[in-house]
Amino acid sequence: MNDRLLKACRLEETDKKPVWLMRQAGRYLPEYRKLRRDRDLLSLCKDTEAAAELTALPVLKFGVDAAILFADIALPLEGLGVPFRMVDGEGPVVEKPVRDEWGVKNIREFDSSRVNYVYETIRLARSILNDRVPIIGFAGGPFTIACYIVGDVGSRDFPLARSLIHMKPRLWRELMEILTMAMAQYSKAQVEAGARVFQIFDSWAGSLSPLDYEESVLPYVKALVDEIRGRGVPVIYFTTCSAGMLELLRRTGANVIGIDWRVDIGRAWRSIGFDVGIQGNLDPAVLLGDRDSIVLRAGQIMEATRDRPGHIFNLGHGVLPETPPENVAALVEFVHGYEEDGVEH
Ligand code: CP3
């Protein structure tokens, strides 16, 4: 097994820097578009053979150091009895947004068996990959899932979820508890199916004020992280727009903190602390440029993180659909070929 990712999570030295990309199996790949052509994302996720093939594809095609489970953060909503549909370009939209006591009462206890196909995808992907690289399991963070549950669509700063914290503080805590418990069970089943690393996508938590994050979200994230780490699986905690709360992210207890491109990675790592790993943070837009700009910007990240174990190379957010696949290949090749003397080999 290529264990660069696991080693970086433990802050151990690696022969080459581990690299994988968020949304590495998405719309920029012709193979993905072909599999997705005549059905929606949800049916694609439920076709476990296709989902496993997509999980393995970027490893076989580009030689990335990890496979991420092909699924979506909205899938466990099915296990909670919260129906939703996937809207193109928008993401998950729940049928009946949950905003009051009645709505929360109607959320069912998490029925893990409703998402058995997710666990099956992990098992199938493992056998395709023959354990060549670790498979990253994932779930949404409780705040980010709450953004979808309350129906905060159409806005990138999630006013409904942010205001619920203040309008109905007791209800908010109840919702966070339900989601934390559900994600704990969901992650446990993924680990049992063979996920070796776990990423919590709390993509929208950076829309919160640091105080609201600290008081109304962080305790639940920490509980979830503790639970997963307790099973011996390293945790990567990813948010965007987190420059104003880097010190707080450290308190999640995650092994590695994932950051977006809006912050200097050297400064971010210093603020979080060098005893925690860091993941990121190339602007996905750079992959729309030519090879020289990719090498320039990726090189600057390599330089800013040199001589220190614990950096996982990634983008600051998902691969953009317009990205030429050959640019992903060029990036992976550059990161793996980079020698710490700064010379490309
Ligand atoms: O990274 C991977 O390659 C694995 C697959 C994966 C998907 N979604 C498939 C997907 C992962 C890890 C996710 C996580 C996810 N889903 C997040 C957290 C990461 C992030 O992007 O911040 C969030 C917020 C979602 C919810 C979601 N799903 C949104 C907002 C959207 C629409 C925006 C977009 O990128 O189109 C989706 C759709 C989605 N999930 C696609 C894929 C491949 C595009 C589907 C398509 O239209 O074919």
Side-chain angles (χ1 to χ4, degrees), residues 23-25 27 32 36 41 71-72 91 138 148 201 203 317:
R23 290 283 161 94
Q24 63 188 13
R27 281 161 295 185
Y32 173 84
R36 163 85 161 78
L41 178 68
D72 192 84
F138 74 89
Y148 292 107
F201 282 96
S203 308
H317 209 164

Side-chain angles (χ1 to χ4, degrees), residues 14 18 23 71 136 149 163 171 178 234 242 288 305 315 328 342:
T14 50
R23 290 283 161 94
I136 305 172
I149 287 196
S163 54
L171 193 75
I178 291 171
S242 58
L288 303 189
T305 54
L315 303 182
V328 170

Side-chain angles (χ1 to χ4, degrees), residues 60-341:
L60 308 175
K61 200 171 157 100
F62 304 118
V64 288
D65 298 297
I68 179 149
L69 160 69
F70 188 83
D72 192 84
I73 59 166
L75 301 180
L77 294 182
E78 291 206 319
L80 288 165
V82 178
F84 68 96
R85 61 202 160 83
M86 292 297 295
V87 177
D88 275 349
E90 187 73 50
V93 177
V94 299
E95 278 169 25
K96 293 196 194 97
V98 172
R99 294 173 194 165
D100 55 17
E101 283 75 8
W102 188 82
V104 171
K105 287 268 166 309
N106 272 298
I107 300 180
R108 277 206 311 258
E109 201 176 313
F110 183 64
D111 177 359
S112 185
S113 71
R114 295 286 299 272
V115 283
N116 273 340
Y117 59 90
V118 170
Y119 318 134
E120 180 62 14
T121 297
I122 296 177
R123 283 189 286 267
L124 289 174
R126 263 183 80 190
S127 82
I128 298 176
L129 287 167
N130 216 351
D131 283 329
R132 273 167 64 162
V133 297
I135 293 177
I136 305 172
F138 74 89
F143 177 79
T144 297
I145 299 178
C147 289
Y148 292 107
I149 287 196
V150 303
D152 234 335
V153 284
S155 157
R156 280 269 131 157
D157 50 16
F158 311 97
L160 293 173
R162 276 162 46 225
S163 54
L164 197 62
I165 293 176
H166 302 285
M167 290 168 67
K168 296 183 187 289
R170 267 216 348 258
L171 193 75
W172 178 260
R173 282 196 294 275
E174 211 181 315
L175 184 59
M176 287 294 98
E177 271 162 26
I178 291 171
L179 295 177
T180 305
M181 256 157 41
M183 292 313 114
Q185 275 177 269
Y186 185 53
S187 58
K188 179 165 188 273
Q190 289 187 39
V191 168
E192 282 165 1
R196 301 283 304 271
V197 172
F198 201 84
Q199 175 150 324
I200 300 173
F201 282 96
D202 217 352
S203 308
W204 314 137
S207 62
L208 289 161
S209 75
L211 276 176
D212 283 334
Y213 179 78
E214 182 177 8
E215 290 173 13
S216 306
V217 175
L218 178 61
Y220 304 97
V221 172
K222 192 177 174 330
L224 181 58
V225 170
D226 281 352
E227 174 95 22
I228 303 167
R229 286 195 63 167
R231 294 182 210 117
V233 172
V235 175
I236 306 170
Y237 179 71
F238 170 75
T239 56
T240 64
C241 304
S242 58
M245 49 190 224
L246 294 168
E247 290 81 2
L248 291 173
L249 298 183
R250 164 190 185 82
R251 284 165 46 193
T252 59
N255 303 71
V256 177
I257 299 297
I259 53 169
D260 73 9
W261 67 90
R262 296 172 181 90
V263 53
D264 175 86
I265 193 165
R267 183 182 80 74
W269 203 356
R270 213 173 318 118
S271 305
I272 294 165
F274 293 120
D275 54 343
V276 177
I278 194 136
Q279 175 174 277
N281 74 338
L282 186 70
D283 182 349
V286 171
L287 288 185
L288 303 189
D290 61 13
R291 192 175 185 281
D292 288 348
S293 40
I294 295 170
V295 165
L296 174 69
R297 287 289 182 252
Q300 287 162 334
I301 292 172
M302 296 299 280
E303 183 59 30
T305 54
R306 65 183 293 159
D307 299 331
R308 248 182 232 290
H311 173 231
I312 300 165
F313 199 104
N314 205 316
L315 303 182
H317 209 164
V319 181
L320 295 167
E322 305 79 16
T323 306
E326 58 272 23
N327 286 359
V328 170
L331 175 65
V332 174
E333 197 191 325
F334 171 74
V335 172
H336 280 163
Y338 188 91
E339 303 263 317
E340 298 239 318
D341 56 9

